[in-house]
């Protein structure tokens, strides 16, 4: 998802100031968008206001500069729903923040897109596993690179493969579980770690 759609998704939950958005992105939002600079947030808010996707009201603050509190317009909500319903194209990396952002905001705005989203991600990652898991992982240095410790490199390569394979398998297991819950309408029991009112697209 583009960054402006992430901001629209947050404003769809409740009105927020630019500072509120910055604070969320610096905390829970790290799992959705990394390195979100405040100037970029304010620049996008200005542009979205010009496009008619958001409007703002000035909120006086005692002893501090007044804040602009932004809220979504009907046009902004329509744009967010359009994005949530647009085709999902998996990236080369599994667990990419783009999937989680789309998954989280689709749950609010286009719940009928959740199963197709998960099915697309599952099919793509299964194809990746089918191609990459049995690949030849042998290392050879025909010209005898003097800096290369072949034994260490082989060990590092295997450890990296081991981690990647287990992480992808865990991701596929999670997707399967979520798909099952959504397909039969089951609401999982809330765990103590998810009882906060904070929005947590992790």
């Amino acid at each position: 998802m583009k960054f402006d759609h992430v901001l629209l998704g947050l404003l769809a939950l409740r009105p927020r100031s630019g500072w509120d958005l910055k604070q969320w992105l610096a905390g829970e939002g790290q799992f959705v968008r990394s390195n979100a600079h405040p100037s970029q947030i304010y620049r996008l808010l200005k542009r979205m206001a010009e496009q008619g996707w958001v409007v703002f009201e000035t909120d006086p603050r005692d002893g501090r500069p007044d804040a602009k509190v932004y809220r979504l317009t009907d046009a902004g909500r329509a744009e967010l729903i359009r994005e949530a319903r647009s085709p999902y194209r998996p990236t080369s990396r599994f667990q990419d923040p783009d999937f989680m952002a789309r998954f989280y905001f689709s749950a609010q705005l286009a719940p009928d897109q959740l199963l197709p989203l998960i099915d697309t991600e599952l099919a793509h990652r299964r194809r990746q596993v089918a191609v990459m898991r049995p690949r030849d992982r042998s290392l050879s240095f025909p010209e005898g690179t003097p800096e290369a410790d072949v034994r260490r490199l082989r060990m590092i390569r295997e450890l990296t493969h081991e981690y990647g394979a287990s992480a992808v398998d865990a991701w596929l297991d999670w997707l399967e579980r979520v798909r099952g819950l959504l397909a039969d309408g089951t609401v999982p029991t809330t765990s103590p770690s998810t009882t906060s009112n904070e929005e947590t697209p992790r």
Side-chain angles (χ1 to χ4, degrees), residues 49-82:
E50 292 169 350
Q51 292 173 309
W53 293 353
V54 299
V55 293
F56 66 85
E57 297 177 353
T58 301
D59 182 19
R61 304 287 174 92
D62 292 337
R64 293 181 294 164
D66 294 347
K68 292 179 179 178
V69 178
Y70 294 83
R71 63 176 176 83
L72 216 58
T73 64
D74 289 342
R77 185 171 297 277
E79 171 61 22
L80 190 55
I81 292 174
R82 184 204 63 76

Side-chain angles (χ1 to χ4, degrees), residues 67-165:
K68 292 179 179 178
V69 178
Y70 294 83
R71 63 176 176 83
L72 216 58
T73 64
D74 289 342
R77 185 171 297 277
E79 171 61 22
L80 190 55
I81 292 174
R82 184 204 63 76
E83 173 66 15
R85 292 184 176 280
S86 66
Y88 169 62
R89 296 177 178 83
T91 61
S92 61
R93 298 177 302 170
F94 77 97
Q95 287 184 310
D96 193 285
D98 181 69
F99 173 87
M100 296 307 293
R102 186 180 286 259
F103 176 76
Y104 185 65
F105 295 125
S106 292
Q108 305 170 60
L109 300 158
D112 60 314
Q113 296 299 304
L114 286 173
L115 285 178
L117 173 67
I118 291 174
D119 286 341
T120 300
E121 178 74 2
L122 272 169
H124 183 79
R125 301 308 163 195
R126 285 170 177 157
R127 285 193 298 270
Q128 280 187 320
V129 169
V131 171
M132 299 301 293
R133 190 68 58 87
R135 74 188 185 280
D136 181 7
R137 300 195 303 279
S138 60
L139 289 174
S140 62
F141 299 89
E143 297 182 8
T145 306
E147 295 83 6
D149 182 330
V150 177
R151 194 173 75 166
R152 179 178 290 110
L153 284 173
R154 283 175 177 157
M155 180 185 71
I156 295 300
R157 187 182 182 96
E158 285 306 303
L159 289 172
T160 303
H161 171 78
E162 177 185 306
Y163 167 77

